[in-house]
Structure formats: structure tokens, C-alpha cells
Amino acid sequence: ALNFGRVAVPPDFENEVRDLVTREPGNWNAQRAWSTMLRFISGRQEESLAAIRRAVELSDGYPGVVADLINTLVRQRKYAEADAV
């Protein structure tokens, strides 16, 4: 199992989330989960950023998703972009 903080993540978690995003491309919660998985588990920062931007778009700017976008930008040291959100 992979470790996500203190939580063990099943080894097939990435495939399950990818499948969900594929089955439900308009589901902003799925995009948000995909972004989180990419960022924290796989370390794929640019893909994570693209997924959270898509989640913001699909959620019509839901505040929690916008906060995730800002957090992602700050963690990537893209401060000017984070300030512009």
C-alpha cells in the first residue's frame, strides 16, 4: 500500500481514480480526487494542477475547490498565479 499521510492507500487506488475520471469526465469531485492523488501520491505536479483547474471550472468556482487550486499553486511556488485566483 502507498502512504498518504497517515493513511495507507491501496496500490490500485490510482487506477480506480483514473477510471472514475474517465467514466465521469464532468464530475468535479472526481477531478478534485484525481488532482489530490497526483499531487500527494504520485508527485505529478503539473498534471495535478491541470486536474484541479478542471475541477474549478466544472464546479463553477466552488470555494473548497478554489482553495485547493490556490494551495496547489502555492506548493508549486507559483505565488503570482495564486494571488490572481
Side-chain angles (χ1 to χ4, degrees):
L2 302 168
N3 287 318
F4 180 56
R6 296 180 183 184
V7 177
V9 178
D12 59 344
F13 181 68
E14 181 175 347
N15 292 332
E16 289 179 21
V17 178
R18 182 186 303 116
D19 290 347
L20 176 62
V21 170
T22 300
R23 280 193 320 271
E24 300 182 33
N27 181 335
W28 65 265
N29 280 307
Q31 291 291 335
R32 188 180 192 189
W34 181 238
S35 172
T36 300
M37 193 283 313
L38 290 169
R39 182 168 41 140
F40 289 112
I41 298 173
S42 297
R44 292 165 25 208
Q45 302 303 317
E46 290 304 314
E47 290 176 77
S48 171
L49 184 55
I52 199 62
R53 286 185 194 279
R54 179 78 176 128
V56 168
E57 177 185 320
L58 292 169
S59 73
D60 292 323
Y62 184 78
V65 182
V66 172
D68 288 349
L69 171 60
I70 293 167
N71 185 318
T72 300
L73 289 165
V74 168
R75 287 177 180 266
Q76 293 182 13
R77 299 183 179 182
K78 297 180 179 184
Y79 303 116
E81 287 182 63
D83 285 342
V85 172

